[in-house]
Amino acid sequence: MTALHSGGCRCGAVRFEASADPLHVSYCHCTDCRKASGAPVSAFVGFMADAVVISGDTLKSYVNGPVSRSFCRKCGSPIAYLDARLPDSIYFMLGVMDLAAYYKPTLHAWVREQLPFVHMPDGLPRHLTSSVPRP
């Protein structure tokens, strides 16, 4: 498979490839993403799940309600999240993409939870809550 989009963890034990273009590239300011990443803001690249192949070591997951966050069991790199309400999608942390600079976010989500010292005057649309409708 020739991957259009690829990435992996810090130690190289986990790799993934997506054979279709991303559906979604965004920043998230929610508390849950901050706690999962350890960063004041997270960025994600979303793909249709059926276009993604994950290889290498088995990912470790942490489930909190409908959201499952996966990470490398060897180096601890956060890799992706799945939302049971969005069963056809997978969202990778932008930083684990091989060509991370290629994936420019197009919006901000959960800005009502944005930290007061985070200023990103990029002119992108801002959503008070989620930018992806969930049933």
Side-chain angles (χ1 to χ4, degrees), residues 3-39:
L4 296 173
H5 309 280
S6 61
C9 67
R10 185 175 184 199
C11 73
V14 174
R15 296 289 305 157
F16 61 86
E17 298 178 337
S19 59
D21 286 334
L23 303 170
H24 190 89
V25 183
S26 68
Y27 293 111
C28 185
H29 297 272
C30 81
T31 302
D32 193 54
C33 285
R34 276 201 309 275
K35 290 192 178 282
S37 69

Side-chain angles (χ1 to χ4, degrees), residues 69-129:
R69 296 182 184 271
S70 60
F71 52 95
C72 174
R73 65 177 59 246
K74 289 185 179 175
C75 68
S77 295
I79 302 294
Y81 86 85
L82 298 167
D83 188 323
R85 298 164 295 182
L86 305 169
D88 298 329
S89 303
I90 183 168
Y91 296 84
F92 290 99
M93 302 296 294
L94 189 148
V96 300
M97 302 301 297
D98 289 338
L99 300 174
Y102 175 80
Y103 303 94
K104 183 178 177 184
T106 60
L107 58 90
H108 293 263
W110 287 98
V111 295
R112 76 176 185 195
E113 295 183 15
Q114 182 173 334
L115 295 173
F117 57 81
V118 173
H119 300 283
M120 301 172 76
D122 51 24
L124 295 177
R126 283 162 159 66
H127 299 263
L128 289 177
T129 60

Side-chain angles (χ1 to χ4, degrees), residues 34-56:
R34 276 201 309 275
K35 290 192 178 282
S37 69
V41 64
S42 294
F44 294 96
V45 182
F47 295 95
M48 292 301 295
D50 63 1
V52 173
V53 174
I54 299 174
S55 59

